[in-house]
Amino acid sequence: MNADVADEVLKVSRLSVEIEGRFVLSNVDVSLGRREFVAVLGRSGSGKSTFLKSLVGEAALINGAKVLGDIKGPGRFGYAPQRAPLLPWLSVRENLFLARPAHIEKKVFEARMGELLALADLVGIEGKKPTALSGGMRSRVSLVRSFLMDSSVLLMDEPFVGLDVVTKARLHALTLTMWERTQSAALFVTHDIDEALALASRVLILRRDGTGFCFDKKLPFAHSAAPSEFHGRLHERLHGSLHERLLEAPEIRLWHKNIRESLYES
């Protein structure tokens, strides 16, 4: 399933990545529509992170890597890697200003930064160093930085891996709130089916050998007239107990089962 051509912000054709004589990815095709939030699932080692790195040019920096194929997308991607540490010798404000695109005026960027910091409940910490913040606060600052990159496509590579359930749940809700205020599309790599269902409007599964996507489905419950309210209800269900999820959300149970089975078969 690809995006409508008129609504397309990213089109990847025949993408292949060869490292030391072995193809990590081979003939991957996918397109992304404006305002889509797409989760990318797959087994460990299937090439999910390499796929994102290929889009931003980082795969080519791997020693001996060859990147082939055609990528038509924005001139600038927003990119949030698995671990994007804040520079400890800079203040929060200085760390965030590293994301300022050259074409955005300083005053405009500062206004947007203030808006997102308020959404993240981080007002007043701009002058602090990252070492003075809690782990959850640093994660929220990193998330704000990702959304300040002013790109039509935001790439997120397991940005919440290793966080506790409560912190992760808060960051999921914050991600959706920030995303709804932008015109960005998002590609979000995760190993967590619940995370994919909580955030995405569409789910992709990369084959274990990296030869394209074996699963590409839009989630029928992902968008509503009041997306924030809807995602809030969905998020509560997904982060309740497993028993409550199965009893209260049969549609989520069915999608969870289908995605899990597709992962096993990928």
Side-chain angles (χ1 to χ4, degrees):
M1 179 185 298
N2 286 319
D4 294 335
V5 174
D7 202 38
E8 213 170 63
V9 293
L10 174 68
K11 184 175 180 61
V12 178
S13 303
R14 305 178 306 281
L15 176 65
S16 298
V17 179
E18 182 183 2
I19 301 176
E20 296 182 349
R22 183 177 74 89
F23 279 97
V24 179
L25 295 173
S26 181
N27 293 315
V28 175
D29 296 302
V30 71
S31 66
L32 187 65
R34 193 177 310 279
R35 300 282 293 141
E36 275 196 300
F37 199 119
V38 180
V40 180
L41 290 158
R43 296 198 180 195
S44 296
S46 60
K48 302 183 299 299
S49 294
T50 301
F51 171 61
L52 292 194
K53 289 177 180 177
S54 299
L55 300 182
V56 295
E58 285 199 2
L61 301 178
I62 301 172
N63 189 32
K66 297 178 181 178
V67 180
L68 309 170
D70 186 35
I71 300 172
K72 294 179 180 178
R76 178 184 173 90
F77 286 96
Y79 182 45
Q82 284 185 17
R83 289 173 178 80
L86 302 171
L87 299 179
W89 58 88
L90 297 180
S91 67
V92 167
R93 183 179 184 278
E94 290 167 333
N95 269 284
L96 293 178
F97 255 85
L98 294 177
R100 182 172 75 94
H103 67 280
I104 301 293
E105 292 184 5
K106 182 178 177 180
K107 288 184 178 180
V108 174
F109 185 83
E110 283 184 328
R112 187 157 183 247
M113 181 176 68
E115 178 186 0
L116 295 183
L117 285 172
L119 284 174
D121 195 22
L122 291 171
V123 174
I125 57 92
E126 296 89 338
K128 294 184 178 181
K129 300 290 177 64
T131 51
L133 307 178
S134 67
M137 293 175 76
R138 288 195 296 271
S139 296
R140 280 181 278 153
V141 171
S142 293
L143 186 61
V144 168
R145 182 174 60 183
S146 299
F147 279 95
L148 284 171
M149 293 179 182
D150 191 49
S151 171
S152 56
V153 180
L154 177 60
L155 310 177
M156 307 181 79
D157 189 2
E158 296 192 86
F160 310 137
V161 66
L163 298 177
D164 65 84
V165 173
V166 174
T167 300
K168 184 182 287 189
R170 185 175 187 183
L171 288 171
H172 286 170
L174 181 59
T175 297
L176 289 174
T177 300
M178 290 186 179
W179 171 71
E180 287 164 6
R181 288 180 175 237
T182 72
Q183 297 300 311
S184 296
L187 274 174
F188 188 99
V189 165
T190 180
H191 279 93
D192 187 342
I193 297 175
D194 283 355
E195 185 167 63
L197 290 173
L199 293 173
S201 58
R202 177 178 161 206
V203 174
L204 307 176
I205 296 177
L206 189 61
R207 292 188 180 92
R208 72 179 76 185
D209 60 0
T211 56
F213 296 103
C214 62
F215 183 99
D216 184 350
K217 301 289 184 182
K218 288 189 176 181
L219 301 178
F221 47 77
H223 291 295
S224 70
S228 294
E229 179 184 351
F230 174 82
H231 276 111
R233 295 197 305 269
L234 175 62
H235 198 272
E236 287 176 4
R237 284 195 260 177
L238 283 169
H239 287 87
S241 70
L242 176 61
H243 179 68
E244 288 173 342
R245 258 183 271 158
L246 297 181
L247 286 179
E248 297 179 14
E251 74 279 20
I252 297 175
R253 177 186 180 184
L254 179 60
W255 275 95
H256 195 289
K257 178 177 180 289
N258 290 341
I259 293 171
R260 185 179 67 250
E261 291 176 350
S262 296
L263 272 171
Y264 287 153
E265 295 169 1
S266 66

